[in-house]
Amino acid sequence: MELNKKRSDCPLSGSLDVFGDKWSLLIIRDLMFGNKCTYNDFLKSDEGIATNILASRLKGLEENGVIEKTAHPDSKAKFLYRLTPKGIDLLPMIMEIYIWSDKHYEMPAELKATIKEAKKDKDKFVKQITKELKTKMTEKKQ
Amino acid sequence: MELNKKRSDCPLSGSLDVFGDKWSLLIIRDLMFGNKCTYNDFLKSDEGIATNILASRLKGLEENGVIEKTAHPDSKAKFLYRLTPKGIDLLPMIMEIYIWSDKHYEMPAELKATIKEAKKDKDKFVKQITKELKTKMTEKKQ
DNA sequence: AAATTTGCTTGCTAAATGCAAGTACAAATA
DNA sequence: TATTTGTACTTGCATTTAGCAAGCAAATTT
């Protein structure tokens, strides 16, 4: 893929090389909030990602240490994708995107309420979700 | 361009339609921290954006209300690009990207120090930079 | 054993990107 | 006044990436 293609020393540019496209953050969103964790789960998301693009993005995110791919406990045909701690650390940034979007665009009412809650104490919200995600991580291990 | 191409009702997906590519946020970075404000300034950035891509990104960001294009006070041949309030509001998100990057990658020492400062009191940092950017906005008007 | 599901891969086509060159206008210099 | 330089683009063309449909092997279900 786009491995080792550092465009500059800027950390922002480096970060965009990891998730700066139209799809990667949507996969991460699905892992964070959508209770999705398999290839087919991601395929079924509203945006309609193409199957080859999904495969390539999953590979890229895994190579960059944002997600990890493990055996699915229910079936040998399936894989289970989950966020690594590095991936979970993207939560504050994603939260800020939602907050920005809330300020400048229309918003589903239910999400609006959640964002309002989150804004009241960002750190608390981040810690809470992070804890939930890390719990989910460990509970399925082995 | 990719106008009116809403892929879903998700605000994250909508935001990615505005700045979810490898270049848009770099232009915004240059406007926020790089003291850059003309076409040629952006062209000269380290990442080496192609001139047609730059033109198309500037157009897209303007159409989406993130930047605005005005006459340059020094020369009729130049234009001056600047962030709108909506564009300035992207600062918290960009800050979180820097923080994430700082946690998981190497970092130029000087930037590292700035980020350490910013993390101490995020709100304060955002307010300070926002104020500076808004001042810059008004001081050149007329 | 046959049909279905899962996580992909493979073609093929359309769109986006990147580079080099060119254009039109403005300002500065000779 | 003529020429050169700089600015903001546009155009053309080759390369890369994206998107859709179909296929495929292994595993699971019927």
Side-chain angles (χ1 to χ4, degrees):
Chain A
M1 283 274 94
E2 66 266 355
L3 270 179
N4 310 328
K5 276 189 196 170
K6 240 191 158 186
R7 292 180 290 170
S8 75
D9 286 334
C10 172
L12 182 62
S13 145
S15 300
L16 292 175
D17 290 337
V18 174
F19 55 76
D21 66 89
K22 293 251 187 294
W23 297 107
S24 296
L25 286 180
L26 298 182
I27 297 173
I28 294 167
R29 170 204 63 186
D30 288 349
L31 284 163
M32 276 185 179
F33 312 115
N35 254 35
K36 304 187 176 186
C37 55
T38 67
Y39 192 88
N40 243 301
D41 288 342
F42 305 133
L43 263 192
K44 278 180 279 185
S45 284
D46 284 346
E47 291 84 9
I49 188 170
T51 172
N52 57 336
I53 303 295
L54 176 56
S56 117
R57 289 303 178 276
L58 288 172
K59 195 181 164 197
L61 289 172
E62 197 192 356
E63 284 171 352
N64 283 304
V66 173
I67 65 173
E68 58 185 5
K69 180 184 182 177
T70 57
H72 197 290
D74 299 348
S75 157
K76 281 178 189 168
K78 281 191 200 178
F79 291 95
L80 200 149
Y81 296 92
R82 66 158 77 101
L83 292 166
T84 60
K86 183 176 173 183
I88 294 175
D89 283 339
L90 286 169
L91 173 56
M93 180 211 59
I94 291 175
M95 201 178 68
E96 293 295 346
I97 298 180
Y98 277 105
I99 291 172
W100 180 80
S101 201
D102 179 46
K103 184 163 180 185
H104 296 282
Y105 296 96
E106 292 304 311
M107 201 77 160
E110 151 223 3
L111 243 176
K112 214 174 167 61
T114 309
I115 291 167
K116 199 176 172 182
E117 266 307 299
K119 276 203 308 193
K120 280 184 192 165
D121 191 340
K122 288 182 189 178
D123 282 350
K124 189 183 158 194
F125 183 83
V126 166
K127 269 176 196 160
Q128 187 194 316
I129 304 281
T130 300
K131 195 179 161 189
E132 285 172 27
L133 288 169
K134 297 219 167 167
T135 306
K136 208 186 292 175
M137 264 181 66
T138 14
E139 88 194 5
K140 301 231 173 169
K141 252 184 190 162
Q142 288 173 31
Chain B
M1 283 274 93
E2 64 267 359
L3 268 179
N4 311 326
K5 275 189 198 168
K6 240 191 158 186
R7 292 179 292 172
S8 76
D9 286 334
C10 172
L12 183 62
S13 144
S15 301
L16 292 175
D17 290 337
V18 175
F19 56 74
D21 66 89
K22 293 250 187 293
W23 297 107
S24 295
L25 286 180
L26 298 183
I27 296 171
I28 294 167
R29 169 203 63 185
D30 287 349
L31 284 163
M32 276 185 179
F33 312 116
N35 253 37
K36 303 189 177 185
C37 56
T38 67
Y39 192 89
N40 243 300
D41 288 342
F42 304 133
L43 263 192
K44 277 180 279 185
S45 284
D46 283 347
E47 291 82 10
I49 189 170
T51 173
N52 57 339
I53 303 295
L54 175 58
S56 116
R57 288 304 178 277
L58 287 173
K59 195 181 163 195
L61 289 172
E62 197 193 356
E63 284 171 353
N64 283 304
V66 173
I67 64 172
E68 58 184 6
K69 179 185 181 178
T70 57
H72 197 290
D74 299 348
S75 157
K76 282 178 190 169
K78 280 190 199 176
F79 291 95
L80 199 149
Y81 297 91
R82 65 159 76 102
L83 292 165
T84 61
K86 183 176 173 182
I88 294 174
D89 283 339
L90 287 169
L91 172 57
M93 181 211 58
I94 291 176
M95 200 178 70
E96 293 294 348
I97 298 179
Y98 278 106
I99 291 172
W100 179 80
S101 200
D102 178 46
K103 185 164 179 184
H104 297 282
Y105 296 96
E106 292 303 312
M107 201 75 158
E110 150 222 6
L111 243 175
K112 213 172 169 62
T114 310
I115 291 166
K116 198 175 173 184
E117 265 308 298
K119 276 204 306 194
K120 280 186 193 165
D121 191 340
K122 287 182 191 178
D123 282 350
K124 188 182 157 194
F125 183 82
V126 167
K127 268 176 197 161
Q128 187 195 316
I129 305 283
T130 300
K131 195 178 160 189
E132 285 173 26
L133 289 168
K134 298 219 168 168
T135 307
K136 211 187 289 176
M137 265 181 67
T138 15
E139 87 194 5
K140 301 231 173 169
K141 256 184 187 162
Q142 288 171 30

